[in-house]
Amino acid sequence: MAPGRTQGLHNGRVNEPLVLGIETSCDETGVGIVRGNTLLADAVASSVEEHARFGGVVPEVASRAHLEAMVPTIERACETAGITLSDVDAIAVTNGPGLAGALLVGVAAAKALAIGLGKPIYGVNHLASHVAVDQLEHGPLPEPCLAMLVSGGHSSLLRVEDVTAGVDPMGSTIDDAAGEAFDKVARLLGLPFPGGPHIDRVAREGDSVYVDFPRGLTSRRDLERHRFDFSFSGLKTAVARWVEARERSGEPVPVADVAASFQEAVCDVLTRKAIDAAATEGIDDILIGGGVAANSRLRAMAEERAAAKGIRVRVPRPGLCTDNGAMVAALGSEMVSRGRTPSPLDLPADSSLPVTSVLA
Ligand code: KG4
Ligand code: ZN
């Protein structure tokens, strides 16, 4: 188990709901505590190092790690926030989508807390939480906004009117998710798992126009059917072929240049389509969330291109982009504030919960 991190902020507001959020959909055990839109604690224990040698998250290993980390992470979050569990007004928990066994650990823990404390439970959608988290940093979400969610499991463009009511999918990946492409290409280049942060780092030293990699679903014909959809598997194959050809020739692979050229291709398509979707809907605010939103090139390119069109971009700080409990607490807090009905205590964990279903 990697050493956990905890982050705390305090302020004196007392009349807003105190919500504890639990996230266990993948390999991060996250427990966040918020009061209204104020982040009080964000404790995360990651099992990523246990998966690294397999090159991807192993579901059974993740579930077991959640079991071991759950109680200490709850305790750490409470300590940082300076609260006791009896102070909490509501419990929020990711009940999908994600790994079934991993989700079950969080949902079971949340139910135990809700029953023990006699407080309501809100089962919330992991993807909507990636959107809601931004309100902890930049205040209430613009309504409507265009959300681009880019993570290891998802790449979607969503029209969001009220994040507690539902989101309207405009497009998504038809094959690999953006983060998955980063992870697979990193592996091809001999970089560790998860690959996104390593590609981001080595690409800074590379030439982003060294190889002109393909931009998936951007040809005129593809745009007719897939205007707001993404495809990254062709790009991944193109990188693999390029690397193989270079290795066969006996010349060294210029890792930084290939990483930078690959990253440029991903960011180019993501930003182009997000801005096109916002402009088409007449939306002035784009919100980027999910682990890939931590990418420095994506953040810079999105801001530059959107500004040229008079569109604002909001991206949470990198630590809030990757999976965490604060995002779940943020969405839970919004549910409480808007008077949404809590979930039933027999709330299921749903590994394939659709993005349109925000509240269980
Ligand atoms: O949202 P997240 O933490 O978990 C999922 O719900 O999937 O996203 C994890 C993904 C991984 O594929 C990881 O490589 C990618 O986010 N990622 C990045 C960066 N940091 C994390 N990708 C590109 N650049 C980064 N800086
Ligand atoms: Zn995620």
Side-chain angles (χ1 to χ4, degrees):
M1 175 73 53
R5 57 190 158 90
T6 310
Q7 218 167 31
L9 288 173
H10 294 269
N11 98 353
R13 280 190 271 170
V14 289
N15 54 353
E16 293 177 304
L18 184 66
V19 180
L20 181 142
I22 297 180
E23 156 62 33
T24 60
S25 67
C26 194
D27 57 341
E28 258 93 37
T29 311
V31 179
I33 299 173
V34 304
R35 186 179 294 286
N37 274 348
T38 305
L39 177 62
L40 302 181
D42 179 19
V44 178
S46 176
S47 60
V48 69
E49 282 169 16
E50 293 173 49
H51 308 286
R53 70 193 166 101
F54 302 105
V57 175
V58 184
E60 264 312 305
V61 173
S63 306
R64 187 167 291 272
H66 287 308
L67 272 177
E68 287 169 6
M70 183 55 67
V71 171
T73 311
I74 292 174
E75 286 172 351
R76 200 150 45 85
C78 288
E79 200 181 303
T80 306
I83 62 145
T84 59
L85 282 173
S86 56
D87 297 330
V88 169
D89 297 310
I91 308 291
V93 62
T94 302
N95 78 310
L99 302 171
L103 287 167
L104 272 173
V105 178
V107 169
K111 286 180 182 177
L113 286 175
I115 293 168
L117 299 169
K119 294 293 158 65
I121 184 171
Y122 292 81
V124 301
N125 188 303
H126 179 80
L127 303 171
S129 301
H130 270 304
V131 176
V133 71
D134 190 60
Q135 67 194 18
L136 298 180
E137 200 168 5
H138 300 117
L141 298 178
E143 293 179 347
C145 72
L146 189 286
M148 177 162 73
L149 278 191
V150 274
S151 71
H154 300 269
S155 305
S156 315
L157 289 175
L158 313 164
R159 184 192 158 90
V160 183
E161 202 77 46
D162 165 358
V163 71
T164 66
V167 296
D168 187 8
M170 294 181 67
S172 64
T173 182
I174 61 167
D175 41 55
D176 292 352
E180 201 177 347
F182 270 95
D183 295 339
K184 288 177 176 169
V185 166
R187 197 171 183 170
L188 286 171
L189 295 176
L191 298 168
F193 174 84
H198 297 283
I199 291 200
D200 195 349
R201 178 177 46 80
V202 302
R204 285 183 199 148
E205 311 297 321
D207 177 0
S208 63
V209 295
Y210 192 84
V211 191
D212 186 16
F213 284 126
R215 272 59 171 163
L217 299 184
T218 55
S219 72
R220 186 174 296 185
R221 227 179 92 231
D222 284 334
L223 286 175
E224 279 169 22
R225 280 191 56 214
H226 292 292
R227 183 162 171 195
F228 302 127
D229 291 326
F230 303 106
S231 166
F232 296 110
S233 86
L235 170 61
K236 172 198 66 192
T237 307
V239 177
R241 295 246 163 83
W242 195 95
V243 169
E244 277 160 25
R246 188 46 86 96
E247 280 168 347
R248 266 199 310 274
S249 77
E251 281 183 69
V253 175
V255 171
D257 295 329
V258 176
S261 302
F262 158 77
Q263 180 175 268
E264 196 71 7
V266 174
C267 297
D268 181 20
V269 177
L270 290 176
T271 54
R272 251 200 265 176
K273 294 206 175 203
I275 291 168
D276 184 23
T280 304
E281 292 289 309
I283 295 175
D284 295 331
D285 293 272
I286 293 177
L287 194 149
I288 311 181
V292 180
N295 185 268
S296 59
R297 181 67 185 132
L298 179 62
R299 298 166 84 100
M301 193 190 276
E303 261 156 41
E304 191 187 313
R305 289 183 173 182
K309 300 263 181 197
I311 293 172
R312 291 177 292 266
V313 175
R314 289 171 47 143
V315 197
R317 63 173 176 270
L320 292 179
C321 288
T322 46
D323 290 350
N324 62 79
M327 66 193 216
V328 181
L331 182 50
S333 165
E334 197 61 24
M335 297 280 183
V336 177
S337 301
R338 297 204 186 210
R340 299 268 168 216
T341 309
S343 306
L345 269 173
D346 62 355
L347 153 81
D350 182 350
S351 59
S352 52
L353 189 68
V355 68
T356 43
S357 168
V358 169
L359 180 62

